[in-house]
Amino acid sequence: MCTSLTYTSATGHHFFARTMDFPTTTPWRPVFLPRHYRWKTALHATRTTQYAILGGGRIAADFSAYLLADGFNENGISCAELYLPGVVDYAPTPVAGQLNLTPQDFINWALGEHATLATIVADLPHVTLVDQPWGPTATFTHSIGFSVTVPGKPWSSNPPVAH
């Protein structure tokens, strides 16, 4: 299981750390996605980032798109993908009228399309996380930034928690 830690110093500086409990044979590397980067979700929808992202990731095994394990955007929002088996529930199939993403798409969407944590939280009721792997990966849940933890759906009965 992966873990993360956030810390705010007495001078107001934010620190974020995480462990990645995966084999060292996984081809993770530094990844930079520029503003206006077009990418495909695991459900084959095309998205475009509004903000640049720097993080750790790899190319998905089954098509040419980046899977980010963690990173931060040009506005200072950080996100880490944490493996927490059995703790979250995902929709078994896409839901009409929602932005359907897989857990592995979530970091690209959150960091690439949002300038603040408040805008991510405001958009969550319109997002459904669908239980579909992106290449040979497990499902994940995410800890965002320094102040919000996002649980699995449904958002209305299990809302994001401020820390």
Side-chain angles (χ1 to χ4, degrees):
M1 177 174 3
C2 297
T3 57
S4 68
L5 170 75
T6 60
Y7 173 76
T8 303
S9 71
T11 57
H13 292 93
H14 299 286
F15 298 90
F16 177 67
R18 62 90 46 87
T19 64
M20 182 179 278
D21 300 334
F22 294 108
T24 57
T25 57
T26 305
W28 298 106
R29 63 182 185 157
V31 172
F32 174 72
L33 303 180
R35 288 180 192 158
H36 311 297
Y37 174 76
R38 292 176 52 86
W39 60 283
K40 278 200 170 207
T41 70
L43 300 172
H44 306 291
T46 300
R47 309 287 305 173
T48 302
T49 65
Q50 301 304 306
Y51 305 102
I53 305 170
L54 180 63
R58 66 176 174 85
I59 293 285
D62 53 348
F63 61 98
S64 183
Y66 279 98
L67 167 62
L68 290 177
D70 52 41
F72 61 93
N73 71 12
E74 64 185 86
N75 300 297
I77 301 172
S78 64
C79 190
E81 186 171 62
L82 304 177
Y83 182 59
L84 302 172
V87 179
V88 296
D89 294 313
Y90 300 115
T93 59
V95 175
Q98 290 278 291
L99 171 58
N100 292 287
L101 299 170
T102 65
Q104 296 83 0
D105 296 322
F106 188 85
I107 292 176
N108 294 39
W109 170 80
L111 297 181
E113 299 184 29
H114 298 87
T116 67
L117 291 173
T119 58
I120 295 172
V121 171
D123 280 349
L124 288 177
H126 310 288
V127 175
T128 294
L129 294 179
V130 180
D131 190 12
Q132 178 175 326
W134 206 31
T137 61
T139 54
F140 296 87
T141 190
H142 304 86
S143 175
I144 299 178
F146 302 109
S147 61
V148 178
T149 300
V150 178
K153 266 270 196 173
W155 310 119
S156 58
S157 64
N158 195 11
V161 179
H163 297 283

